[in-house]
């Protein structure tokens, strides 16, 4: 089977797997960003499927894949909102950590140590596919996005976030986060693997999905908080795309 998994990238996250749920540990940046990620994800799903977020379990009846789920920082809130969640990751340690934490929280989440291509081969399809902070870690982004497209049901939603490639992202995501703040181990990210918003939009289109939205996730060092921006996609950003019905 063709695979877009990069063994070296999997090894990086395997080494940190036990720390996923420590808000002061190696995944502190994701814990800090998670509220704005969730705001964006929930708003897009609610709009696409005409759901009311104030309802009890508004995502009930939706099948959702969190590909590259890590320790489950997004899988768990999606399950609490009522979605039928499958969390997939190529790192076995991540899946073990995610499964234990979900059990502790009393959540039923189908965690699998697998990859996008294997799910395609199994004929799996989902109303929503999340690919958050993973495309910069795969061996072949275009092939990965094509696999994700096959996993989205016609009329379904694909959400993908990553890091822009420019001098500012090098200064912030590499020098700042890994060397100065030491939020992440050195070498967690490779600047050359970062993808510009226009490049990602083109690849998503080539995969057969229709881009419908993109926003920036912006960190304010003065307020020490994240926000969603319509215009500032200079470092972290997210895109939304839909799969045509036919």
């Amino acid at each position: 089977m063709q695979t877009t998994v990069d063994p070296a990238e999997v090894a990086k996250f395997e080494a940190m797997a036990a720390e996923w749920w420590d808000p002061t540990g190696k995944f502190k940046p994701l814990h800090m960003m998670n509220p704005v990620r969730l705001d964006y994800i929930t708003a897009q799903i609610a709009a696409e499927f005409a759901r009311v977020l104030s309802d009890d379990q508004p995502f009930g009846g939706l099948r959702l894949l969190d590909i590259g789920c890590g320790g489950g920082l997004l899988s768990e809130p999606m399950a609490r909102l009522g979605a039928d969640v499958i969390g997939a990751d190529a790192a076995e340690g991540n899946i073990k950590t995610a499964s234990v934490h979900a059990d502790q929280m009393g959540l039923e989440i189908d965690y699998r140590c697998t990859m996008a291509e294997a799910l395609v081969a199994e004929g799996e399809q989902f109303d929503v596919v999340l690919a958050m902070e993973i495309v910069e870690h795969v061996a072949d982004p275009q092939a990965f996005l094509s696999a994700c497209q096959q996993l989205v049901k016609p009329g379904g939603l694909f959400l993908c976030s990553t890091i822009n490639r420019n001098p500012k992202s090098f200064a912030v995501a590499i020098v700042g986060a890994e060397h100065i703040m030491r939020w992440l181990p050195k070498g967690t990210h490779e600047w050359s693997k970062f993808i510009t918003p226009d490049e990602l939009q083109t690849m998503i289109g080539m995969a057969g999905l229709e881009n419908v939205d993109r926003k920036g996730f912006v960190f304010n060092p003065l307020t020490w908080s994240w926000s969603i921006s319509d215009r500032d996609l200079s470092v972290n950003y997210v895109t939304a795309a839909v799969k045509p019905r036919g």
Side-chain angles (χ1 to χ4, degrees):
M1 180 185 296
Q2 290 285 326
T3 177
T4 56
V5 171
D6 184 331
E9 293 289 334
V10 173
K12 290 179 188 177
F13 288 91
E14 193 81 66
M16 300 185 285
E19 296 194 41
W20 272 105
W21 288 97
D22 179 359
T24 63
K26 291 184 174 67
F27 295 103
K28 180 178 179 179
L30 277 184
H31 282 273
M32 293 172 64
M33 191 195 298
N34 222 33
V36 297
R37 296 199 305 170
L38 287 169
D39 284 348
Y40 185 83
I41 291 166
T42 54
Q44 290 294 320
I45 295 174
E48 191 64 34
F49 295 96
R51 301 302 174 96
V52 179
L53 290 174
S54 59
D55 288 352
D56 183 40
Q57 296 201 322
F59 295 165
L62 294 178
R63 197 160 189 257
L64 181 146
L65 171 67
D66 183 7
I67 187 75
C69 64
L73 300 189
L74 291 173
S75 294
E76 290 199 5
M78 293 299 104
R80 288 192 178 94
L81 290 168
D84 176 12
V85 178
I86 288 81
D89 201 287
E92 186 176 355
N94 289 349
I95 293 300
K96 289 179 179 177
T97 297
S99 298
V100 168
H101 197 271
D103 287 344
Q104 291 171 343
M105 296 295 107
L107 295 170
E108 289 189 14
I109 299 173
D110 182 359
Y111 283 119
R112 306 179 190 178
C113 184
T114 188
M115 56 190 176
E117 295 82 4
L119 292 168
V120 170
E122 292 164 12
E124 293 279 15
Q125 282 200 315
F126 304 87
D127 299 290
V128 181
V129 173
L130 306 181
M132 310 296 280
E133 285 76 48
I134 179 178
V135 71
E136 71 270 25
H137 296 290
V138 301
D140 185 336
Q142 185 64 70
F144 172 75
L145 292 168
S146 295
C148 288
Q149 185 268 353
Q150 294 177 74
L151 292 168
V152 181
K153 292 180 181 178
L157 180 66
F158 175 65
L159 300 174
C160 179
S161 64
T162 188
I163 306 175
N164 201 341
R165 188 182 69 257
N166 55 32
K168 183 177 178 181
S169 69
F170 182 82
V172 173
I174 305 290
V175 178
E178 296 184 12
H179 294 264
I180 297 174
M181 301 304 294
R182 297 187 180 178
W183 279 343
L184 294 166
K186 293 177 183 177
T188 298
H189 290 110
E190 292 180 39
W191 185 78
S192 62
K193 286 191 168 187
F194 291 172
I195 301 170
T196 71
D198 288 347
E199 288 171 345
L200 184 61
Q201 184 167 322
T202 297
M203 286 192 285
I204 287 173
M206 289 177 63
L209 296 163
E210 294 180 1
N211 290 276
V212 294
D213 188 64
R214 63 184 186 182
K215 296 282 193 296
F217 293 150
V218 181
F219 181 68
N220 186 329
L222 298 178
T223 60
W224 210 248
S225 62
W226 289 85
S227 61
I228 298 173
S229 172
D230 289 332
R231 290 183 288 183
D232 187 353
L233 282 68
S234 59
V235 184
N236 296 84
Y237 68 97
V238 62
T239 64
V242 295
K243 183 170 181 174
R245 290 188 178 275

